[in-house]
Amino acid sequence: MVDSTYFDQFDDELRTMHELMDDGSIGLTDESLRVPISTLNLKPAVVVQSGTPVEDCIGTMVARHFGCLLVVEDEQVCGIFTERDALLRLVEHANAFEKLTINDIMTPDPASLSATDTLETALKTMNQGGYRHLAVVDSLNKPTAVLSVKDIVSYIIDFFPEDVLNLPPHPLRLGTKHQHGA
Amino acid sequence: MDSVTLRAPLHTLEPKVPVCVTKGTKISDVIGIMKDNRIGCVCIVEDDLLIGIFTERDVLSKVIGSSLDTDETFVEDLMTNDPEYLYDDDQIAFALNRMHVGGFRHIPLIDLAGRPTGIISVRDILAYMTRSLAENN
């Protein structure tokens, strides 16, 4: 049987935690960004072999709702292909890309990270290069995961569950009669 | 960075001016505009009011590999109707919420009349957060 003081203690701690959060003492700090990216819940990379027909690659991305593919040759990352590449390099081929392989339209030798790199490094790399996805590779340049901008958002949101996740469906807008959904 | 940062209004992010096309614009022209401006998202307006959004995800999933003629297809046929939007005095937390829960990468901002005034991307928010961390530490 559990002692009722256990619950009292728990309630006390919870209360203290809320008080600390309210005055802003708990939040995201520099330290939160110095964690290795392996701390994040990274998704496994969707990988295609060098030389795969473009048609198959697009099919995979659309079916799996993935915005990014890693291209491998001899198990090592040799390229990345994203939705942006599709917009910039594929549309002009219209429906005549049967003869193209992923190598014709991918970005070769993409920027990559190791799982031990910090989130801070990842953010810098993304900001500087304007990337939304980064390949995560091991010491042999084999892909282990993809880090996306959304993974970072999820990580940050976890520090502010009350502020971000527990929101009303629509912002409270006093003084306007404007209805959402116009 | 504390929760106060997230309660700041969206205009703190200095949202980019949205690139808008009118209903009736050919998809081939819309794609040209996206490429020229190097943007991932355009707003579609009718009588100046926001009626839809068209993103590079739509290009990948609806245009590439399909047999449609991009000179004969109009943006309203492929756009997402009535997209989620916010006002520029709404809190940043709401944009994060929409992006996280809805999986959106872009949220248009509109004025009270319903005209698009800005566009917020997930990278704008991350850049802002990294900036506020640097300033506060």
Side-chain angles (χ1 to χ4, degrees), chain A residues 87 91, chain B residues 19 21 25-32 34 39-45 50-64 68 70 73-81 83 106 108 119:
Chain A
L87 174 71
V91 172
Chain B
V19 173
V21 299
T25 308
K26 290 175 194 165
I27 284 294
S28 51
D29 291 337
V30 176
I31 289 173
M34 290 168 85
I39 48 166
C41 165
V42 288
C43 291
I44 295 89
V45 292
L50 178 73
I51 59 162
I53 197 168
F54 183 74
T55 70
E56 54 194 355
R57 179 84 208 165
D58 296 322
V59 175
L60 180 78
S61 59
K62 299 175 188 169
V63 180
I64 293 170
L68 57 85
T70 54
T73 311
F74 300 99
V75 68
E76 60 270 25
D77 300 328
L78 301 183
M79 70 184 186
T80 300
N81 289 294
H106 300 92
I119 194 110

Side-chain angles (χ1 to χ4, degrees), chain B residues 83 98 136:
Chain B
R98 299 295 189 271
N136 293 338

Side-chain angles (χ1 to χ4, degrees), chain A residues 28 33 61 65-66 83-84 92 95 130 132 149-150 153-154 157 160 163-164 169 171 173 178 180-182, chain B residues 1 3 6-7 35 39-40 56-57 66 85 87 90 93 97-98 100 103 105 112 122-123 126 133 137:
Chain A
L28 195 67
L33 297 189
M61 287 172 88
H65 292 280
F66 242 74
E83 289 171 10
R84 177 56 57 99
E92 61 207 62
N95 309 317
R132 269 196 309 249
V149 75
K150 281 186 190 168
V153 167
S154 305
I157 284 179
F160 307 99
D163 297 278
V164 176
R173 296 179 183 119
H178 192 86
H180 192 92
Chain B
M1 195 181 97
S3 53
L6 294 182
R7 290 189 203 128
K35 286 171 82 168
I39 48 166
E56 54 194 355
R57 179 84 208 165
S66 74
Y85 60 79
Y87 298 114
D90 288 334
N97 172 287
R98 299 295 189 271
H100 181 70
R105 276 201 303 250
L112 289 178
V122 65
R123 283 209 281 117
L126 275 190
L133 273 179
N137 287 283

Side-chain angles (χ1 to χ4, degrees), chain A residues 14 34 38 49 55 70 111 114 182:
Chain A
L14 208 65
R34 291 206 188 101
S38 54
Q49 295 298 321
E55 215 166 349
L70 295 184
S114 106

